[in-house]
């Protein structure tokens, strides 16, 4: 079943990500961490089928998303959907299917995110914050540079959350590193539950390191295709 969402507002989050707020259709239920697939009310993009995580909470009367915008001139491997999303205006419509996805709140853990891969963790950690259950969790968040950190203030002000920010292409006050086995071992150790989401190369490398260091599959929370691959 497809639902039509009407955009209420769109605001920048970082230089290349935007926060979008839509109305919420009656009966549209979801769990923190789930996503839906989008089509745009634009010829050629109606059946785009791109997945985006819902970043609002299940009891809110709106659907929110934080989406990274890719300029097709700079990223020709992308199909232009997010570039079009960045041009949406209040009143524009998108078409979405029902929520889906395997990332769920399985309890406290280490949330390993790369770039826009942090989005499934936004509602999970906000929900845990509301319940007073953030303690015992760590966010390891990798970006190319410091300006790319999505919702940095939210993470730094979330009582009980340990935030570790990593940059891969910029020297500065943050960790300049890759999230590999040595980094994980130094920062948090492997005796944890791990949530992982980010670019495919990062996902493959982190999951391989977790497995190599004895983290059981049931302690790795990712989209199931990554554990099957």
């Amino acid at each position: 079943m497809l639902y039509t969402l009407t955009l209420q507002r769109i605001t920048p989050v970082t230089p290349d990500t935007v926060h979008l707020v839509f109305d919420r259709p009656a009966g549209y239920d979801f769990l923190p961490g789930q996503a839906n697939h989008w089509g745009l009310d634009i010829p050629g993009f109606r059946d785009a089928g791109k997945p985006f995580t819902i970043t609002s909470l299940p009891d809110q009367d709106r659907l929110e998303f934080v989406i990274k915008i890719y300029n097709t001139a700079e990223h020709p491997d992308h199909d232009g959907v997010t570039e079009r999303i960045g041009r949406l205006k209040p009143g524009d419509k998108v078409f979405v299917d029902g929520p889906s996805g395997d990332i769920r709140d399985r309890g406290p853990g280490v949330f390993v995110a790369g770039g826009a891969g942090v989005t499934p963790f936004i509602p999970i950690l906000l929900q845990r914050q509301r319940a007073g259950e953030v303690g015992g969790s760590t966010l390891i968040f990798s970006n190319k540079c410091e300006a790319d950190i999505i919702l940095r203030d939210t993470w730094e002000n979330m009582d009980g959350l340990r935030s570790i920010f990593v940059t891969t292409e910029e020297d500065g006050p943050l960790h300049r590193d890759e999230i590999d086995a040595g980094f994980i071992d130094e920062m948090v150790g492997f005796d944890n539950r791990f949530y992982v989401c980010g670019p495919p190369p990062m996902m493959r490398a982190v999951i391989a390191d977790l497995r190599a260091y004895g983290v059981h599959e049931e302690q790795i929370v990712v989209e199931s295709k990554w554990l099957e691959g």
Side-chain angles (χ1 to χ4, degrees), residues 128-186:
R128 296 192 69 80
Q129 178 188 38
R130 178 186 287 183
E133 297 174 349
V134 175
S137 290
T138 299
L139 173 66
I140 300 177
F141 192 6
S142 176
N143 289 276
K144 289 182 179 179
C145 62
E146 193 170 356
D148 290 340
I149 300 173
I150 296 170
L151 301 182
R152 180 174 181 172
D153 288 348
T154 297
W155 309 128
E156 291 183 328
N157 293 316
M158 189 171 284
D159 190 32
L161 179 69
R162 179 188 179 200
S163 296
I164 301 171
F165 300 121
V166 182
T167 58
T168 58
E169 297 183 7
E170 177 184 74
D171 291 320
L174 305 179
H175 297 277
R176 171 92 189 252
D177 214 330
E178 299 290 337
I179 301 177
D180 57 14
F183 187 84
I184 293 171
D185 191 29
E186 178 184 356

Side-chain angles (χ1 to χ4, degrees), residues 206-221:
V206 170
I207 291 170
D209 284 339
L210 295 178
R211 286 170 164 164
Y213 281 78
V215 179
H216 297 295
E217 304 286 281
E218 61 271 19
Q219 291 297 97
I220 304 174
V221 183

Side-chain angles (χ1 to χ4, degrees), residues 121-134:
F121 308 151
I122 294 172
I124 291 174
L125 288 169
L126 288 175
Q127 188 92 310
R128 296 192 69 80
Q129 178 188 38
R130 178 186 287 183
E133 297 174 349
V134 175

